[in-house]
Amino acid sequence: MKKILTYLIIFIGVFQTARAQQDLDRANDLFEKAYYADAIALYEAALPKNKSSHLIKNLADSYYHTFDLNAAARWYRYLISNYGDTVDESYYFKLNQSLKAIGEYEEAESVLFNFYTKEGTNAKLQQLKQNATYLENVKAIGNRFDIENSHFNTTSSEFGAMEIGNEIWYTATHKKSGSKTYRWNNQHYLDIYTHPLDKKELGDSLSSELSNKINTKLHEGAFTISPDGNTLYFTRNNFKNGKRKTDDKKISNLKIYSANLVDGDWKNIVELPFNSDDFSNEHPTLNAGGTKLYFSSDRPGGFGSFDIYEVSLQTDNTFSIPLNLGNVINTDKKEQFPFIASDNALYFSSNGHPGFGLLDVFVSKNKKGVFQQPDNLGLPVNSGYDDFSYILNKEIKTGYFASNRPTGKGSDDIYSFTVTKELFIEDCEQSVTGIITDRTTALPLSGATVILNDANNVIVSSFISKDNGSFDFKVLCQTSYTIKAEKAGYEGNSKTIRTNKERNATNDASMDLYSIDEKEKAKALVVQEKLTAEKLRAEALAIKKLEDEKKETLLAVQQTQENKKRLEQEKIVEKAKTEIALAKKITAAIDTESALIKENERTVIQTEEIHFDYSLWYLRRESRERLKTVIDVMKNNPGMIIEIGTHTDIRGNGGYNKDLSQKRADSAKEFLVKNGIASDRIVSKGYGESKPIVVCLTEDACSEEDHEWNRRCEFVVVGWDYDSKKP
């Protein structure tokens, strides 16, 4: 009996395992056929015993494709948390999109930020930051549209509305309850409907099928009509001879068909020649002239997923080869639902350009036949969910779009809109303002230079303070700046500011500047106060000492102080005598030596000009003769100390001229030393081109004679107290 029970348990276990594997295989097969709604139930049933990365990927993707974004986010989180190192970027992107849809924008951004940081893809990190800033700038515009949910929406799907004549044409799930369902989401297949324009306030009961020749048991969807109203282009599943055709993955791709209006009926339904059984073409739209057809396709050779293409309609009713609109419009994600407005601007939906989640509507202006970088249309047309099939009447700024946002009636809803604001996207800016004042007087300072530096200490802008001391800069949000203020006669000051996210906020950078004269006065006052305090303290100590000591000690101290004062006085007198004697000595020397003269508060030995040849430092013969005057004066005045200062013209670079002038000064000094003058009585200094007699703005601005005047040697008396006996 025990053996039978054991075999029974084993059999049941094996049977259950086999049954579970069969259910999982069936779920995978449904997933591959894009029957996501059916696959979800089987994957959920398998979860308690199977949480492999493959199952979690397919389950999360199934929720993603059926727009249960809360569930999708939950399972993408689980996938990345447990298998993050083995899944590619696309799953991080889909988690990002799911989180945006449910309003978790901060977490959404961190998902991609952390992934790109881990991968070390700095370019994508930078693009992510730029996209975040761009979307902040779009949001800052506020709501650009008044939107209204259309009255003919139902709990099923409606989209692609377009006013044609006195009707609204749109795409919707088949309205007969017994019609076939589409196992992607278990809704009915799509057909094209019409509704009286003057009764759009009434429900969908007044809507009727366009034509039973256009609508079939499969999908008929996004469409466009020629300017004359006689040719219809529409999207349909690959359908031939009443049967659906599939590719090798059992997927029925989409194709674009045309139909002609003949005697009030749609006839001559044919597929366009650039269709294929192996990929999809969808969402046709015509330009205003009806000369070009635009559509979306996942054909090979694109940038990824669905791209937007154009074909020209030839005069013989043929089509040119499809042309991809390029990487300005197309990305490695989806670009779908194109629409060309009357001004040739392209409107389309994409999840590859910077958006608020899933498909957003974008506009690309057309300049001389070239589509420009697209811009996000903004709020509230765009949301965290799919926003698409945007149709605009440019002249009256009204139109329709569709969205599957949760606030609608169900699935995809058609919304009418009116444009209320222009799409003007600008960077977030703030102001840095303030008043420069005098620290001492607190009065405004005009004419102060105020400099705005960025975080790298690069000057961004500068401003001269006005009569009231004010200044004003425009700066970017969330950026660090240093503001520096300076004015002649004042100490500079600076202030660092970090701007926040608030647009048009004002940051106060007022500063005071301290007058250098006032600062010196304050320093002197502090010194004086310190001296006074020290004097008072000394006096207090002296008084205390006088009180504590005996009369005899007091008399001794007084005598000592008197002796000290007498010695100090004697030193002062002696110093004064020495200074007087030195002054007399200098005066006598000047009086007796004709070569000694006073010049601009300095004493110089005047000689005939000592010049040098261009770029040389050797003394000319006449220069050596003229130096004898200096030798004679110095020998007559053995206490005299001089500085030999040599100068060059401006030719050559500054470093070279500085070195050349020093060599010339040293050459003159060497000559004096050879002629009996002590070396330490002579200071040789080369000034280069820094102190010209004749100012030459350029080398050619001065004559050779001017340059020679600047190549000179000067002898300035810098001391009279040289003593050879001193060590």
Side-chain angles (χ1 to χ4, degrees), residues 676-701:
I677 306 303
S679 176
D680 48 358
R681 291 179 63 195
I682 306 166
V683 177
S684 60
K685 186 167 184 179
Y687 289 93
E689 59 188 70
S690 64
K691 295 184 177 182
I693 294 174
V694 181
V695 177
C696 302
L697 297 179
T698 65
E699 293 182 12
D700 296 332

Side-chain angles (χ1 to χ4, degrees), residues 613-663:
D613 291 329
Y614 173 69
S615 195
L616 295 176
W617 58 89
Y618 305 110
L619 290 172
R620 295 179 180 175
R621 181 177 298 172
E622 73 273 12
S623 296
R624 291 195 291 271
E625 290 297 323
R626 292 168 183 174
L627 283 174
K628 290 180 180 179
T629 300
V630 180
I631 296 168
D632 291 339
V633 172
M634 293 191 73
K635 286 183 177 180
N636 293 337
N637 298 274
M640 181 185 291
I641 302 171
I642 68 166
E643 179 196 86
I644 302 174
T646 59
H647 306 262
T648 69
D649 56 33
I650 68 167
R651 293 178 291 188
N653 65 54
Y656 173 83
N657 287 337
K658 180 78 172 175
D659 181 63
L660 178 61
S661 63
Q662 187 61 50
K663 289 179 178 179

Side-chain angles (χ1 to χ4, degrees), residues 184-427:
W184 178 302
N185 53 12
N186 283 338
Q187 289 192 19
H188 297 307
Y189 279 80
L190 299 170
D191 283 332
I192 301 174
Y193 285 83
T194 67
H195 191 96
L197 188 58
D198 60 353
K199 293 183 175 59
K200 63 180 181 179
E201 305 300 323
L202 302 179
D204 76 315
S205 61
L206 296 180
S207 297
S208 59
E209 289 192 54
L210 175 66
S211 166
N212 59 9
K213 294 181 180 179
I214 299 295
N215 293 332
T216 66
K217 62 183 180 181
L218 298 181
H219 284 307
E220 283 76 34
F223 58 88
T224 189
I225 196 164
S226 62
D228 61 9
N230 292 326
T231 304
L232 178 70
Y233 298 93
F234 62 96
T235 308
R236 176 189 279 175
N237 281 115
N238 190 359
F239 188 72
K240 192 171 184 179
N241 299 325
K243 294 183 179 181
R244 184 180 72 161
K245 294 188 67 177
T246 62
D247 61 13
D248 55 3
K249 294 182 180 179
K250 305 299 183 183
I251 299 296
S252 177
N253 287 303
L254 297 174
K255 292 185 176 182
I256 299 174
Y257 294 77
S258 67
N260 299 123
L261 187 62
V262 180
D263 297 328
D265 196 9
W266 292 106
K267 299 180 178 180
N268 305 324
I269 300 173
V270 295
E271 66 171 89
L272 299 190
F274 48 81
N275 287 322
S276 171
D277 294 340
D278 299 321
F279 55 80
S280 287
N281 293 324
E282 61 184 18
H283 311 156
T285 188
L286 289 164
N287 63 352
T291 59
K292 288 186 177 182
L293 182 75
Y294 295 82
F295 62 95
S296 182
S297 176
D298 62 351
R299 63 183 54 226
F303 292 92
S305 189
F306 281 87
D307 285 359
I308 296 176
Y309 291 79
E310 72 171 34
V311 293
S312 296
L313 278 67
Q314 315 289 5
T315 55
D316 60 354
N317 293 325
T318 60
F319 297 88
S320 67
I321 295 173
L323 175 66
N324 189 295
L325 292 192
N327 62 1
V328 171
I329 300 299
N330 295 314
T331 69
D332 60 348
K333 306 296 190 304
K334 290 181 181 179
E335 280 70 47
Q336 297 174 299
F337 296 96
F339 168 73
I340 302 294
S342 58
D343 62 353
N344 284 325
L346 169 65
Y347 294 83
F348 64 98
S349 291
S350 170
N351 63 352
H353 293 284
F356 297 101
L358 301 183
L359 291 176
D360 272 13
V361 184
F362 293 83
V363 58
S364 170
K365 295 180 179 179
N366 191 311
K367 292 185 179 179
K368 297 180 179 180
V370 177
F371 290 115
Q372 306 300 301
Q373 183 66 38
D375 275 317
N376 190 295
L377 273 194
L379 307 173
V381 161
N382 287 327
S383 68
Y385 280 73
D386 278 342
D387 307 297
F388 58 100
S389 68
Y390 182 93
I391 305 291
L392 171 69
N393 186 329
K394 186 72 176 178
E395 286 68 31
I396 58 176
K397 297 184 177 181
T398 63
Y400 301 92
F401 75 98
S403 177
N404 64 350
R405 61 192 67 184
T407 54
K409 293 179 182 178
S411 190
D412 302 317
D413 278 2
I414 294 170
Y415 293 79
S416 61
F417 68 81
T418 301
V419 181
T420 58
K421 286 184 183 178
E422 294 301 318
L423 182 60
F424 183 64
I425 303 171
E426 57 184 347
D427 287 331

Side-chain angles (χ1 to χ4, degrees), residues 123-147:
K124 289 190 175 182
L125 271 176
Q126 187 62 30
Q127 187 62 54
L128 191 66
K129 293 175 183 177
Q130 291 174 0
N131 290 352
T133 300
Y134 173 83
L135 290 175
E136 285 293 329
N137 293 338
V138 173
K139 284 195 292 186
I141 302 172
N143 286 347
R144 295 188 54 240
F145 306 84
D146 287 336
I147 67 172

Side-chain angles (χ1 to χ4, degrees), residues 94-148:
K94 284 184 281 191
L95 175 56
N96 165 274
Q97 296 289 287
S98 302
L99 290 169
K100 282 186 175 183
I102 63 177
E104 299 291 343
Y105 283 97
E106 188 173 337
E107 184 184 352
E109 291 305 310
S110 68
V111 166
L112 289 179
F113 183 86
N114 293 339
F115 175 74
Y116 294 145
T117 300
K118 181 183 71 174
E119 295 294 308
T121 50
N122 292 329
K124 289 190 175 182
L125 271 176
Q126 187 62 30
Q127 187 62 54
L128 191 66
K129 293 175 183 177
Q130 291 174 0
N131 290 352
T133 300
Y134 173 83
L135 290 175
E136 285 293 329
N137 293 338
V138 173
K139 284 195 292 186
I141 302 172
N143 286 347
R144 295 188 54 240
F145 306 84
D146 287 336
I147 67 172
E148 182 181 0

